[in-house]
Amino acid sequence: KDLIADPLACKEDGIYICGSAAGPFDITDTVSQGIGAAIRSNVQSGDRVFEDREEFQVPGEVEERPRLGVFVCNCGINIGGIVDVPAIVEFSKTLPFVEYVEESLFTCSGDSQERMKEKIIEHGLNRVVVAACSPRTHEPTFKNALISADLNPYLLEFANIRNQCSWVHQHEPEKATEKSKDLIRTAIAKALHLRPIERMVVPVK
């Protein structure tokens, strides 16, 4: 197969490869390739790929008082090895309209996503701030968690305390912690002004 023109294909028709099976790739490229391989295999089997999704029919307006949930990722040595995560958790609890704050080892993991859904419902949260890595890496994952809790997926804001903080200030833990607080405070301020967006579905022929 021509790996430049068709990078997901292999010698056998109907079999597609991605991630480490194809070579050394970072998380973002691996996720993108995985999505592409899944779509290719669905097309190959004749399944319908693009269809109306019931879960996007979520509330169109948020009239009630903002109730924010802040979910802080420890991310092992990536964040917790530099930033004082318990300190920024306690700081987040003091900010206006914050109803719930939680630290988890890996916020993007399946069990953390399920817990996020439970806490959104339990505390009646209507906006979510995730303090973790770049939204480019896991934004669809967190949007799906909001959808599963019947919350508009665009009522989500990120504080990038990994790429923009712990990674670039790895020799300055105290400053990294203070900057993390600023990033979270900024994300919360922006989240207060978020409004639901309804996703348009159009036929593809």
Side-chain angles (χ1 to χ4, degrees):
K1 295 287 184 179
D2 185 350
L3 294 181
I4 296 178
D6 195 359
L8 302 178
C10 62
K11 293 181 179 179
E12 298 295 328
D13 290 336
I15 297 177
Y16 304 97
I17 57 176
C18 61
S20 59
F25 294 101
D26 61 17
I27 294 173
T28 303
D29 288 337
T30 300
V31 171
S32 299
Q33 290 176 350
I35 294 170
I39 292 174
R40 289 290 299 277
S41 63
N42 278 339
V43 171
Q44 184 79 18
S45 64
D47 291 345
R48 187 179 178 206
V49 179
F50 301 100
E51 55 183 311
D52 297 348
R53 293 185 61 184
E54 194 75 26
E55 56 264 44
F56 281 110
Q57 302 304 314
V58 289
E61 284 297 333
V62 178
E63 299 292 347
E64 67 270 26
R65 175 184 182 275
R67 298 177 60 86
L68 273 76
V70 180
F71 296 85
V72 182
C73 184
N74 182 290
C75 203
I77 61 173
N78 281 295
I79 296 176
I82 307 297
V83 174
D84 186 347
V85 175
I88 64 175
V89 166
E90 293 304 313
F91 169 78
S92 299
K93 293 177 181 178
T94 68
L95 297 175
F97 301 106
V98 172
E99 299 291 333
Y100 181 76
V101 183
E102 178 176 291
E103 172 191 351
S104 58
L105 182 57
F106 296 107
T107 309
C108 59
S109 66
D111 55 343
S112 294
Q113 294 295 295
E114 185 61 30
R115 184 169 174 81
M116 180 181 293
K117 170 188 172 182
E118 293 172 356
K119 294 303 177 183
I120 290 172
I121 296 172
E122 178 183 341
H123 295 275
L125 306 178
N126 54 28
R127 288 170 180 80
V128 171
V129 170
V130 173
C133 54
S134 166
R136 183 180 178 186
T137 309
H138 294 302
E139 185 174 24
T141 301
F142 295 115
K143 283 185 174 179
N144 285 332
L146 268 65
I147 290 170
S148 67
D150 198 28
L151 186 62
N152 189 288
Y154 297 98
L155 296 172
L156 169 69
E157 187 57 42
F158 275 83
N160 188 345
I161 62 172
R162 187 190 71 176
N163 308 51
Q164 295 177 349
C165 192
S166 63
W167 279 3
V168 294
H169 301 294
Q170 54 186 296
H171 301 300
E172 303 174 302
E174 293 183 1
K175 290 183 178 179
T177 299
E178 291 306 308
K179 182 177 178 180
S180 294
K181 293 177 181 179
D182 285 339
L183 290 171
I184 291 172
R185 180 169 52 219
T186 303
I188 289 173
K190 183 178 178 181
L192 294 175
H193 297 281
L194 294 177
R195 290 294 179 266
I197 299 175
E198 292 189 7
R199 186 168 177 175
M200 296 176 61
V201 178
V202 296
V204 177
K205 296 182 181 179

